[in-house]
């Protein structure tokens, strides 16, 4: 059973994209002239960027603030973007006219994201809503990591803070210092309501908005600085899911009706490369994947999640995984029976090895003494899957983790419609509903919304030829916001199609970690073939 066996394509519907933010919003179409980038409408700013070696760099850049990227915006506060273009680095003029464009969304938890209050790169208004935070002017800004995750930003085992804002902000600042153009798009999110109580930021609003922003950039080739054929998307958590989806679904006609209604530019929405950190995606299969991965782990209270539910969901995952017929990066056919061995061999042991090898002899000895489940021999770490699960400890979420029986998760809200705040998006959730719903079947528009929100459809069912061919995927080993199989399946699907996949896990890191941002910036230069142009 493949992707399409779970959710087929239905008629487009279920969300009124023109539901206005307030009574005073205009419904009239704007002139197409509104989508022409004004190269002279910038402010000149200077910032200091500290690179991964600890060296400081002075960067002067041109900054375009809150440009509305569609002709018929539902809410300009969210449907706008910022552009930052370096013109001088450490006193030397640079030419970014043909530089890669880092397209960094700050979405967390499928919440709204706005750049309207920006004062410069990385200092946007960011995520707006309960539990949300914005990528601020430093790498310590926090953001809600996933729709149903704990919004707190707590230090992990390695002392880093688990947040999406810091990860993204670091990428943006380093990209600017490398001479790249940085675009920060806003997007609508699940909590937005108009005066009639209608939710106008639920699925598929966020991905439609990001596609419209890409179209705006590409339609302004020759006016907007940077190489519009070398757009590299970046996002964390739900933003990582959207970054993956943006890369997988480039130029898909499934979104055309939505984009036309917004007055999106008549241009391609395909991107060149995708960066995704801990993507919260493949939502309709996420409950089963989560129980396969974390079902044996206790909750923070010390008790276990409902084991009957966990067992039933694990069975669903086994069926789904078998139907994908995916091969791992090493050629292994990935099934529920061998996925644990694959994760240990392909990702977890190499991750632990890299971490331990970088420690001093004394620090390594101390770590191994405190974590006796690891065998360290000939410079390599080995351990079992069960011991790894014990090492991680408490799972983040109960069961089901995403389509909750009581409709309490952010993902339930993401699939809301009209004045209905939350809906089930799996048959299992609908069947076991505890809120008093009488309908036993999912609403008719849910299958299509699931397809529009899941990159796996564009990589497995009918591989999209306009997809990105370059993938940078990262996940912390201690991240129990979703299953480790989610990003591994994404990587395997892209790899199976022959794409360039750079995927690894960060040892002992939690949700939102980004421990190798400098490598990401170097990777962009490598895959795009960019060479910095310094003006002599």
């Amino acid at each position: 059973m493949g992707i399409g066996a779970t959710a087929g394509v239905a008629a487009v519907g279920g969300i009124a994209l023109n539901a206005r933010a307030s009574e005073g919003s205009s419904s009239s179409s704007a002139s197409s002239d509104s989508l022409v980038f004004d190269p002279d409408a910038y402010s000149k700013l200077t910032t200091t960027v500290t690179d991964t070696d600890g060296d400081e760099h002075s960067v002067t850049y041109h900054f375009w603030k809150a440009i509305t990227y569609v002709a018929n915006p539902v809410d300009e506060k969210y449907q706008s973007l910022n552009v930052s273009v370096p013109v001088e680095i450490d006193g030397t003029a640079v030419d970014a006219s043909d530089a890669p464009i880092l397209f960094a969304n700050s979405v967390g938890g499928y919440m709204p994201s706005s750049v309207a209050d920006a004062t410069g790169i990385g200092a946007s208004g960011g995520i707006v809503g309960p539990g949300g935070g914005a990528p601020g002017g430093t790498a310590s800004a926090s953001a809600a990591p996933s729709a149903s995750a704990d919004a707190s930003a707590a230090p992990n085992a390695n002392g880093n803070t688990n947040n999406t804002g810091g990860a993204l902000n670091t990428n943006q600042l380093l990209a600017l210092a490398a001479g790249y153009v940085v675009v920060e798009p806003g997007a609508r999110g699940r909590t937005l309501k108009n005066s009639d109580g209608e939710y106008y930021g639920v699925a598929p609003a966020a991905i439609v908005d990001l596609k419209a922003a890409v179209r705006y950039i590409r339609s302004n080739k020759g006016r907007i600085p940077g190489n519009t054929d070398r757009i590299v998307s970046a996002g964390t958590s739900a933003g990582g899911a959207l970054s993956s989806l943006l890369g997988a679904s480039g130029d898909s006609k499934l979104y055309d009706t939505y984009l036309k209604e917004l007055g999106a530019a008549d241009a391609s929405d395909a991107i060149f490369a995708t960066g995704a950190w801990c993507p919260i995606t493949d939502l309709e299969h996420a409950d089963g994947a989560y129980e396969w991965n974390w079902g044996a782990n206790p909750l923070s209270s010390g008790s276990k999640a409902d084991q009957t539910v966990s067992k039933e969901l694990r069975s669903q995952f086994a069926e789904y995984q078998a139907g994908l017929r995916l091969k791992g990066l090493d050629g292994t056919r990935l099934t529920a029976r061998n996925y644990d061995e694959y994760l240990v061999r392909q990702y977890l042991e190499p991750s632990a090895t890299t971490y331990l090898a970088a420690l001093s002899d004394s620090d390594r000895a101390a770590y191994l003494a405190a974590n006796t489940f690891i065998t360290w021999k000939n410079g390599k770490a080995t351990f079992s899957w069960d011991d790894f699960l014990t090492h991680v400890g408490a799972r983040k979420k109960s069961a089901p983790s995403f389509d909750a029986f009581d409709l309490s998760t952010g993902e339930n809200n993401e699939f809301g419609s009209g004045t209905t705040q939350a809906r089930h998006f799996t048959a299992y959730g609908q069947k076991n509903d505890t809120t008093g719903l009488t309908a036993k079947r999912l609403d008719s528009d849910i299958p299509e919304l699931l397809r529009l929100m899941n990159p796996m459809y564009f990589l497995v069912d009918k591989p999209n030829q306009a997809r990105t061919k370059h993938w940078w995927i990262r996940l912390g080993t201690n991240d129990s916001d979703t299953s480790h199989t989610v990003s591994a399946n994404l990587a395997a699907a892209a790899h199976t199609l022959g794409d360039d996949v750079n995927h690894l896990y960060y040892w002992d890191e939690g949700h939102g970690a980004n421990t190798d941002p400098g490598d990401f910036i170097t990777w962009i230069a490598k895959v795009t073939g960019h060479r910095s142009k310094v003006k002599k």
Side-chain angles (χ1 to χ4, degrees):
M1 180 179 69
I3 293 280
T6 301
V9 180
V12 174
I15 175 174
L17 284 181
N18 263 344
R20 292 290 156 176
S22 67
E23 292 288 353
S25 296
S26 171
S27 62
S28 61
S29 297
S31 166
S32 60
D33 290 343
S34 66
L35 299 183
V36 176
F37 180 80
D38 183 352
D40 298 320
Y42 62 82
S43 300
K44 191 173 184 179
L45 303 174
T46 298
T47 189
T48 299
V49 178
T50 302
D51 65 22
T52 54
D53 293 325
D55 297 326
E56 292 188 347
H57 302 277
S58 176
V59 181
T60 298
Y61 62 102
H62 291 170
F63 178 67
W64 287 259
K65 176 179 176 177
I67 303 168
T68 303
Y69 53 70
V70 289
N72 305 323
V74 175
D75 193 332
E76 287 181 300
K77 180 177 180 180
Y78 303 98
Q79 293 171 305
S80 59
L81 56 81
N82 294 339
V83 178
S84 299
V85 179
V87 294
E88 189 176 288
I89 300 175
D90 292 332
T92 301
V94 296
D95 177 8
S97 60
D98 196 42
I101 298 174
L102 178 63
F103 185 83
N105 82 73
S106 60
V107 174
Y110 290 100
M111 300 283 277
S113 175
S114 173
V115 299
D117 298 325
T119 57
I121 187 168
S124 67
I127 300 159
V128 178
T138 69
S140 61
S142 64
S146 79
S148 58
D150 180 0
S152 63
N156 58 26
N158 290 345
N160 293 331
T161 299
N162 302 334
N163 60 71
T164 63
L168 276 172
N169 189 62
T170 300
N171 289 340
Q172 292 155 220
L173 291 170
L174 291 177
L176 191 72
Y180 304 166
V181 173
V182 177
V183 173
E184 300 171 290
R188 290 167 295 161
R190 60 184 173 84
T191 58
L192 295 176
K193 288 193 296 183
N194 63 17
S195 59
D196 293 327
E198 297 170 320
Y199 289 86
Y200 63 92
V202 292
I207 184 60
V208 171
D209 284 353
L210 294 182
K211 282 178 169 289
V214 171
R215 288 190 173 198
Y216 174 87
I217 296 168
R218 299 199 65 160
S219 71
N220 280 285
K221 182 177 183 178
R223 287 186 292 266
I224 194 168
N227 187 340
T228 58
D229 292 324
R230 293 293 183 268
I231 297 174
V232 181
S233 178
T236 300
S237 192
L242 291 169
S243 182
S244 302
L245 182 55
L246 195 64
S249 67
D251 288 343
S252 170
K253 294 186 180 302
L254 294 179
Y255 303 87
D256 282 356
T257 299
Y258 298 99
L259 289 163
K260 183 177 181 180
E261 188 171 0
L262 289 176
D266 184 13
S268 170
D269 54 61
I271 62 171
F272 185 77
T274 287
W277 286 258
C278 48
I280 301 292
T281 193
D282 200 1
L283 296 177
E284 62 269 43
H285 306 107
D287 286 324
Y290 195 95
E291 294 310 312
W292 176 89
N293 197 146
W294 305 113
N297 287 46
L299 297 164
S300 58
S301 63
S303 62
K304 286 200 171 184
D306 187 314
Q307 289 302 290
T308 298
V309 171
S310 183
K311 181 178 180 181
E312 290 174 348
L313 288 170
R314 288 198 301 271
S315 178
Q316 290 180 22
F317 171 75
E319 183 178 3
Y320 168 62
Q321 191 64 45
L324 289 177
R325 301 181 64 83
L326 286 177
K327 290 185 178 180
L329 272 60
D330 63 356
T332 300
R333 175 64 62 82
L334 300 177
T335 69
R337 291 185 177 182
N338 67 9
Y339 220 136
D340 52 352
E341 296 176 2
Y342 172 73
L343 288 172
V344 170
R345 181 177 65 253
Q346 181 66 33
Y347 296 113
L348 300 177
E349 287 179 343
S351 175
T353 297
T354 297
Y355 172 74
L356 289 166
L359 298 178
S360 65
D361 290 344
S362 59
D363 286 346
R364 185 184 311 113
Y367 186 91
L368 291 170
N371 296 277
T372 56
F373 74 97
I374 298 176
T375 298
W376 180 256
K377 184 177 181 181
N378 298 325
K380 186 178 185 297
T382 57
F383 46 84
S384 71
W385 172 251
D386 288 341
D387 284 341
F388 166 72
L389 292 180
T390 301
H391 172 66
V392 174
R395 55 188 275 174
K396 180 71 73 69
K397 303 175 181 179
S398 189
S401 302
F402 296 89
D403 189 1
F405 296 154
D406 62 358
L407 293 172
S408 61
T409 72
E411 288 80 12
N412 289 129
N413 180 201
E414 172 66 2
F415 289 98
S417 177
T419 58
T420 300
Q421 180 180 19
R423 295 189 296 170
H424 290 296
F425 52 91
T426 68
Y428 187 75
Q430 184 84 18
K431 176 184 176 182
N432 292 283
D433 174 80
T434 59
T435 68
L437 294 178
T438 57
K440 296 303 179 184
R441 292 186 178 182
L442 296 172
D443 288 348
S444 61
D445 64 319
I446 289 292
E448 171 68 1
L449 293 178
L450 291 171
R451 183 178 180 89
L452 293 170
M453 295 301 294
N454 193 343
M456 295 296 287
Y457 290 119
F458 302 96
L459 299 175
V460 177
D461 265 15
K462 294 182 179 179
N464 176 28
Q465 295 305 308
R467 72 185 182 279
T468 176
K469 305 303 191 298
H470 304 280
W471 301 82
W472 175 279
I473 307 171
R474 294 293 188 266
L475 183 74
T477 61
N478 285 10
D479 185 352
S480 64
D481 276 71
T482 191
S483 171
H484 285 359
T485 64
V486 171
S487 63
N489 270 350
L490 186 66
H495 179 75
T496 298
L497 294 175
D499 296 350
D500 163 42
V501 177
N502 189 315
H503 183 211
L504 59 80
Y505 290 18
Y506 304 128
W507 184 252
D508 272 354
E509 296 288 347
H511 195 68
N514 178 19
T515 67
D516 56 352
D519 292 341
F520 175 60
I521 301 304
T522 300
W523 177 80
I524 292 175
K526 177 182 177 182
V527 299
T528 62
H530 175 66
R531 297 293 182 268
S532 180
K533 294 181 180 179
V534 179
K535 294 181 180 179
K536 301 297 185 180

